[in-house]
Amino acid sequence: MSVWGKTEKVDAVVTALGTLLDGTAAAASSVTRNRRIMNLAMEYAVRHGILRSNPPPKGKGKGEGGGAPKVAQAIDKRSLLNQEQVAALLDWIGRRPRHAAVYQAFFATLCYAGLRPEEVVAPRVADAYLPEPGAVDEDGEPVWGEFVVHEAQPEVGSQWTDTGARTNSGT
């Protein structure tokens, strides 16, 4: 346990908490979670007399040993659509004169499956499992469908890419 008294070792651990296995930076939420877990373990060791003090640095400083990166704020639930609003939106989309069925399926998948737009355009029929209407499990609960997302197909403006392509695949 004497290793926790060495600043360079503690700094290496704190740096590792914010790094993925491939060496890239972890997401802010992952760093925060990892630091919380580490802090809980250190506080446990202090309470049980294994360590004299909690060694990881605290504070809001930048750089090595500083605070965790900022995490995006939670979504205000008042800004989300409720079930009636989603149904009204999908009904309105379904009454559009051109490509109504395609857009209705697209937005229904966004709303009900929780997929991102670049994931909605990529699935194949074999990637979707939809139970029979009214199907229930052995406990009488409704059976849910499932989408298997194999890839995302983001599309960006050609001015934002090095190759001038609008997608990752170069098409």
Side-chain angles (χ1 to χ4, degrees):
M1 288 288 142
S2 63
V3 73
W4 291 109
K6 299 178 182 173
T7 305
E8 64 275 353
K9 296 293 184 182
V10 173
D11 287 346
V13 170
V14 170
T15 300
L17 293 174
T19 308
L20 298 177
L21 292 176
D22 64 2
T24 58
S29 58
S30 296
V31 174
T32 300
R33 183 185 68 244
N34 293 344
R35 285 182 181 222
R36 283 183 183 156
I37 293 168
M38 180 70 174
N39 189 48
L40 287 172
M42 293 296 120
E43 289 296 334
Y44 178 86
V46 169
R47 272 196 320 271
H48 291 279
I50 299 168
L51 292 174
R52 287 192 303 256
S53 66
N54 188 348
K58 293 176 177 48
K60 302 263 182 207
K62 296 186 187 281
E64 293 290 320
K70 296 251 185 241
V71 177
Q73 296 297 318
I75 295 173
D76 182 358
K77 291 185 180 183
R78 294 173 297 177
S79 67
L80 300 176
L81 298 176
N82 62 36
Q83 288 180 334
E84 292 81 23
Q85 291 169 324
V86 169
L89 173 68
L90 294 175
D91 180 56
W92 180 83
I93 291 170
R95 290 184 274 115
R96 299 300 91 203
R98 296 174 45 186
H99 310 293
V102 172
Y103 289 131
Q104 192 175 33
F106 177 82
F107 283 102
T109 306
L110 289 176
C111 293
Y112 293 124
L115 298 180
R116 299 176 299 169
E118 61 268 22
E119 295 170 334
V120 173
V121 298
R124 299 174 292 264
V125 172
D127 295 340
Y129 163 71
L130 300 174
E132 293 296 323
V136 293
D137 63 13
E138 58 273 355
D139 297 327
E141 296 292 322
V143 178
W144 289 76
E146 181 177 88
F147 278 110
V148 178
V149 178
H150 293 286
E151 65 177 326
Q153 294 179 349
E155 185 173 315
V156 297
S158 59
Q159 72 271 22
W160 300 106
T161 64
D162 292 334
T163 64
R166 294 179 57 102
T167 64
N168 288 346
S169 62
T171 59

